[in-house]
Amino acid sequence: MLIAIAGGTSPTLGASIVSALLATGRYTPVILSRKIKQVPSWLSSLHQKVEIRHVDYNSHVSLVAALRDVDVVISVLLIPGPDWITVEINLLHAAEEAGCRRFAPSEFALTDRAHTMVYLLGAKSIVWKEVEVSVSRGRIDAARFPCGMFMNYLGIGISDEAIRLEALAGFQEGSFLVHLDDPSPWIEVPVRADGSFPSLTLTDIRDVGKFIVGALDIDEPWGGRELGMVGDTLNFADLISLCEKYTGKSIHVRKVTRPELVSRLRGIPPAEFIRYMECQLQMVATLDQWVIDPSLNRLCSVQPTTVEQYMKRYWGST
């Protein structure tokens, strides 16, 4: 069974899903990519040869031709610019015409409600509405896969380079909320209206691929559902305790309220879209919208990494 991964050359979600598919021996990954100069190092290191099909995401003909023999399309395309919505919808309609059975748009973040409150992530909601129309008309089966915050943020700051690279699993973003790379580590906690700490869901990037395999193994239709994958859900207080336990350092806690975040947002130019998005994400957290329902966990047998297991494995060995 051929599974197409749009944007599958990425060293994070692409690598996670491709590796998990290959490990099954039942699913064959086919990477869809714009023309690339060279094969990524993580992909060239795999023993199995993985087919890369070059596509023009703005060409319906190109996409349909690339998907003719594909059963399922999984998108992990990032949001690099204003054409992202068009590209995702083009991919959806090409999958329909090519006769693909299932489609998963690029989600892998928070819930649909949370996305509507974050300017950059709002694009995901627009795409999902189009997907829902296709599902309702019987054109294709589909699901969206939220996973919360990537647990791999917690690997930033590990001093041993080899251990750090393994912990990051290809992740290259800078610190967000959890600043264990600071000489005096600190965590910024967006608090609820009453001043209490909210909870959040974290998932290791490597477990995303395992969950996708679990979803592919489900015989019943995905049915346009939100199939949440959860590595671990815990309160910020518990996260702080685990960071202190395994780093061996005291963690300074900086609380921030929603009104303070609203004020902060006014001072961030929209052009600085990462800072703008991160501030809005913190505002979402104050409303307890960083928790994912583990609906996919209940449907498959994946045993994901917990935050304590992650911290013990990578920080506990430094």
Side-chain angles (χ1 to χ4, degrees), residues 58-89:
N58 291 311
S59 167
H60 184 71
V61 173
S62 171
L63 288 171
V64 171
L67 298 175
R68 281 296 184 192
D69 55 350
V70 166
D71 190 68
V72 181
V73 178
I74 308 289
S75 176
V76 294
L77 294 169
L78 294 175
I79 307 180
D83 67 334
W84 183 86
I85 295 174
T86 301
V87 166
E88 285 281 294
I89 292 176

Side-chain angles (χ1 to χ4, degrees), residues 2-271:
L2 297 185
I3 312 298
I5 305 98
T9 56
S10 73
T12 50
L13 290 177
S16 174
I17 295 172
V18 169
S19 298
L21 291 171
L22 288 173
T24 67
R26 304 188 308 276
Y27 301 115
T28 301
V30 174
I31 292 176
L32 304 182
S33 177
R34 296 178 175 94
K35 210 162 189 70
I36 56 175
K37 295 181 180 179
Q38 61 183 32
V39 176
S41 58
W42 71 265
L43 187 54
S44 60
S45 66
L46 293 175
H47 296 298
Q48 299 99 323
K49 183 179 180 181
V50 178
E51 181 183 2
I52 299 178
R53 297 181 182 178
H54 299 297
V55 296
D56 178 355
Y57 285 112
N58 291 311
S59 167
H60 184 71
V61 173
S62 171
L63 288 171
V64 171
L67 298 175
R68 281 296 184 192
D69 55 350
V70 166
D71 190 68
V72 181
V73 178
I74 308 289
S75 176
V76 294
L77 294 169
L78 294 175
I79 307 180
D83 67 334
W84 183 86
I85 295 174
T86 301
V87 166
E88 285 281 294
I89 292 176
N90 288 349
L91 190 60
L92 166 67
H93 294 321
E96 293 169 0
E97 183 168 328
C100 300
R101 186 167 58 94
R102 283 172 165 172
F103 178 81
S106 183
E107 291 285 339
F108 309 104
L110 301 176
T111 64
D112 190 53
R113 181 187 175 193
H115 288 170
T116 62
M117 294 185 272
V118 179
Y119 173 72
L120 194 62
L121 298 184
K124 294 180 181 289
S125 295
I126 295 173
V127 171
W128 182 244
K129 285 181 174 58
E130 188 78 8
V131 174
E132 287 182 314
V133 170
S134 291
V135 173
S136 68
R137 294 178 179 175
R139 295 173 180 167
I140 203 165
D141 188 24
R144 59 193 304 270
F145 296 99
C147 62
M149 180 177 174
F150 290 132
M151 199 175 293
N152 309 82
Y153 274 105
L154 303 178
I156 299 174
I158 295 174
S159 58
D160 185 288
E161 183 178 7
I163 296 175
R164 182 177 67 254
L165 290 176
E166 183 182 342
L168 293 177
F171 193 67
Q172 299 176 1
E173 301 295 327
S175 299
F176 174 50
L177 296 181
V178 181
H179 298 266
L180 302 181
D181 53 335
D182 194 289
S184 299
W186 56 283
I187 294 179
E188 184 166 70
V189 180
V191 296
R192 301 182 181 113
D194 63 0
S196 62
F197 288 5
S199 294
L200 71 164
T201 293
L202 300 100
T203 304
D204 189 328
I205 288 171
R206 282 160 291 218
D207 287 333
V208 171
K210 298 173 185 176
F211 275 117
I212 289 296
V213 168
L216 292 172
D217 287 341
I218 298 172
D219 291 328
E220 63 185 88
W222 287 354
R225 288 178 289 176
E226 184 172 274
L227 296 177
M229 55 181 77
V230 172
D232 201 0
T233 296
L234 70 173
N235 189 271
F236 265 96
D238 297 320
L239 176 61
I240 293 164
S241 295
L242 289 172
C243 288
E244 290 184 328
K245 177 180 178 180
Y246 289 103
T247 64
K249 296 181 179 181
S250 177
I251 305 294
H252 178 63
V253 178
R254 302 180 184 179
K255 299 179 183 179
V256 60
T257 65
R258 185 174 179 82
E260 289 171 335
L261 289 167
V262 170
S263 178
R264 180 187 298 180
L265 189 67
R266 293 195 189 103
I268 302 174

